[in-house]
């Protein structure tokens, strides 16, 4: 069981798939199609990461959902692409029978947002509904599970409602298939204060999702590992599951390339591990098998973060931030009411007259 392994040592996640695919100068419109057109290349990349020391490898399915694939006219191939990707990764893991390699089904955030409108003049509008996004994720999850993955990883989360749709889809499909695969969740932050694209704090995001029994929660992509440390330090006391960190190889340069060396990335992650912050570590954009090899070596002698159950009698509720409500100490919480027919006669008259715009 992966839970037992996580108690023994820090597990190593693989690095970037796209960074290595770019070296082949392929002509597919989207990396996920390579699972069908050139499966041997994807297999070679998985193999390279396992040889470098990865315990967990991700399927090449970051954009393999019906929403993202529709842009390329291949939404109808959602199941087959995910199934093929899962089989390739499982075949790569099978090449190393002496090691226990976990295949994680990668689920990206899609190109849509449920929390914010894409039209500044109509803040109520959405490009997609929660139900439609859930259905898109369900088809992806079916392909990944049927293909043999052992974990499911919702990554690069920038919108908590998108992530909740993914979690709901996973829950529905797992019930349908009578499976119970562990689920990992990983957010990407856009601000060094520790907030995702929608403005929500990472801590609030965690509390938004932790109704589901997560195997791990953490950060990926974002900045380099050095800039992630303060965020994860403040977040760690609130998390009662494993913490995963797999950063970019620093920030991109003017040409969009990542220059941070494998040794430097590994040293930053070692600093986190020495402070008791890590259970799973790997790499995101710009990282290579060399990065994973150095990370594996740097963390080999460090014990994983100890996971403790957080006992609390308070209710934690979230919006952009989170607040804990303790009924023993607080008897009234103002939720942020702005308009009230009992507090303003003018407002009450407008409501009675159905003058809602005014």
């Amino acid at each position: 069981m992966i839970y037992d392994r996580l108690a023994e040592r820090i597990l190593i996640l693989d690095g970037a798939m796209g960074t290595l695919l770019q070296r082949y100068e392929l002509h597919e419109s989207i990396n996920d199609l390579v699972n069908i057109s050139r499966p041997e290349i994807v297999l070679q990349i998985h193999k390279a990461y396992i040889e470098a020391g990865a315990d967990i490898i991700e399927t090449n399915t970051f954009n393999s959902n019906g929403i993202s694939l529709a842009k390329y006219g291949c939404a109808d191939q959602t199941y087959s692409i995910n199934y093929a990707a899962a089989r390739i990764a499982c075949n790569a893991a099978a090449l190393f029978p002496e090691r226990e390699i976990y295949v994680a089904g990668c689920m990206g955030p899609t190109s849509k947002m449920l929390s914010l409108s894409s039209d500044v003049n109509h803040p109520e509008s959405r490009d997609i509904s929660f139900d439609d996004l859930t259905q898109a994720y369900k088809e992806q999850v079916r392909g990944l599970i049927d293909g043999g993955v052992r974990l499911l990883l919702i990554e690069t989360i920038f919108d908590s409602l998108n992530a909740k749709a993914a979690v709901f889809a996973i829950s529905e499909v797992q019930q349908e298939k009578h499976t119970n695969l562990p689920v990992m969740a990983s957010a990407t932050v856009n601000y060094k204060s520790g907030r995702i694209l929608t403005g929500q704090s990472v801590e609030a995001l965690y509390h938004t999702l932790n109704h589901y029994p997560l195997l791990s929660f953490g950060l990926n992509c974002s900045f380099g590992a050095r800039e992630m440390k303060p965020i994860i330090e403040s977040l760690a006391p609130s998390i009662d599951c494993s913490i995963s960190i797999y950063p970019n190889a620093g920030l991109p340069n003017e040409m969009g390339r990542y220059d941070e060396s494998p040794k430097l990335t590994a040293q930053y992650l070692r600093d986190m591990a020495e402070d008791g912050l890590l259970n799973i570590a790997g790499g995101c954009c710009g990282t290579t098998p060399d990065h994973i090899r150095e990370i594996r070596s740097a963390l080999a002698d460090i014990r994983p973060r100890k996971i403790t159950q957080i006992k609390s009698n308070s209710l934690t509720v979230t919006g952009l931030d989170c607040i804990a409500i303790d009924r023993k100490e607080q008897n009234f919480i103002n939720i942020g009411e702005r308009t009230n027919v009992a507090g303003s006669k003018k407002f009450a008259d407008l409501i009675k007259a159905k003058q809602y715009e005014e």
Side-chain angles (χ1 to χ4, degrees), residues 157-221:
I157 298 169
F158 58 71
D159 184 331
S160 61
L161 276 179
N162 284 39
K164 286 180 79 70
V167 167
F168 186 56
I170 289 170
S171 179
E172 292 273 292
V173 175
Q174 296 234 63
Q175 289 182 48
E176 169 191 308
K177 293 185 174 294
H178 305 289
T179 59
N180 189 29
L181 303 183
V183 175
M184 305 166 66
S186 182
T188 181
V189 290
N190 294 73
Y191 310 96
K192 293 184 180 180
S193 59
R195 294 185 181 274
I196 60 176
L197 183 62
T198 58
Q200 187 178 41
S201 72
V202 180
E203 183 180 1
L205 171 63
Y206 171 71
H207 286 294
T208 301
L209 299 177
N210 76 345
H211 61 87
Y212 194 92
L214 296 173
L215 171 69
S216 67
F217 179 85
L219 302 175
N220 74 285
C221 203

Side-chain angles (χ1 to χ4, degrees), residues 138-173:
K138 286 175 75 171
E139 189 68 1
Q140 179 175 29
V141 174
R142 290 188 184 101
L144 292 171
I145 292 178
D146 289 350
V149 302
R150 299 176 65 182
L151 310 170
L152 291 164
L153 169 55
I154 308 166
E155 69 170 356
T156 319
I157 298 169
F158 58 71
D159 184 331
S160 61
L161 276 179
N162 284 39
K164 286 180 79 70
V167 167
F168 186 56
I170 289 170
S171 179
E172 292 273 292
V173 175

Side-chain angles (χ1 to χ4, degrees), residues 203-314:
E203 183 180 1
L205 171 63
Y206 171 71
H207 286 294
T208 301
L209 299 177
N210 76 345
H211 61 87
Y212 194 92
L214 296 173
L215 171 69
S216 67
F217 179 85
L219 302 175
N220 74 285
C221 203
S222 313
F223 322 110
R226 181 174 61 178
E227 287 78 10
M228 282 183 173
K229 187 178 179 182
I231 300 170
I232 211 65
E233 279 179 323
S234 62
L235 182 65
S238 305
I239 296 182
D240 57 3
C241 64
S242 292
I243 290 180
S244 66
I245 298 289
Y246 51 113
N248 294 340
L251 292 171
N253 60 27
E254 296 83 355
M255 302 300 294
R257 298 188 177 93
Y258 295 85
D259 299 326
E260 189 170 278
S261 71
K263 284 188 178 295
L264 193 54
T265 301
Q267 182 57 56
Y268 289 144
L269 287 170
R270 181 179 175 87
D271 291 343
M272 286 193 216
E274 288 178 332
D275 288 344
L277 298 173
L278 291 184
N279 301 102
I280 300 170
C284 200
C285 302
T287 58
T288 66
D290 289 337
H291 288 80
I292 301 309
R293 190 173 293 106
E294 290 288 345
I295 292 169
R296 174 81 182 226
S297 176
L299 304 184
D301 62 342
I302 304 178
R303 294 290 299 169
R305 166 181 169 269
K306 187 176 181 180
I307 303 169
T308 56
Q309 294 298 313
I310 300 172
K311 295 181 180 180
S312 174
N313 294 320
S314 63

Side-chain angles (χ1 to χ4, degrees), residues 330-351:
Q330 300 160 291
N331 61 7
F332 178 79
I333 298 293
N334 190 334
I335 305 299
E337 188 174 355
R338 291 294 179 268
T339 52
N340 189 327
V341 295
S344 168
K345 184 179 184 302
K346 181 179 180 180
F347 181 73
D349 290 341
L350 290 171
I351 292 295

Side-chain angles (χ1 to χ4, degrees), residues 310-316 324-329:
I310 300 172
K311 295 181 180 180
S312 174
N313 294 320
S314 63
L315 165 69
T316 300
I325 302 172
D326 190 332
R327 289 179 295 175
K328 293 182 179 180
E329 298 182 5

Side-chain angles (χ1 to χ4, degrees), residues 95-113:
L95 296 174
F96 301 82
E98 74 284 359
R99 291 174 54 192
E100 189 162 22
I101 307 299
Y102 298 90
V103 174
C106 167
M107 300 171 62
T110 83
S111 56
K112 305 293 184 183
M113 294 184 70

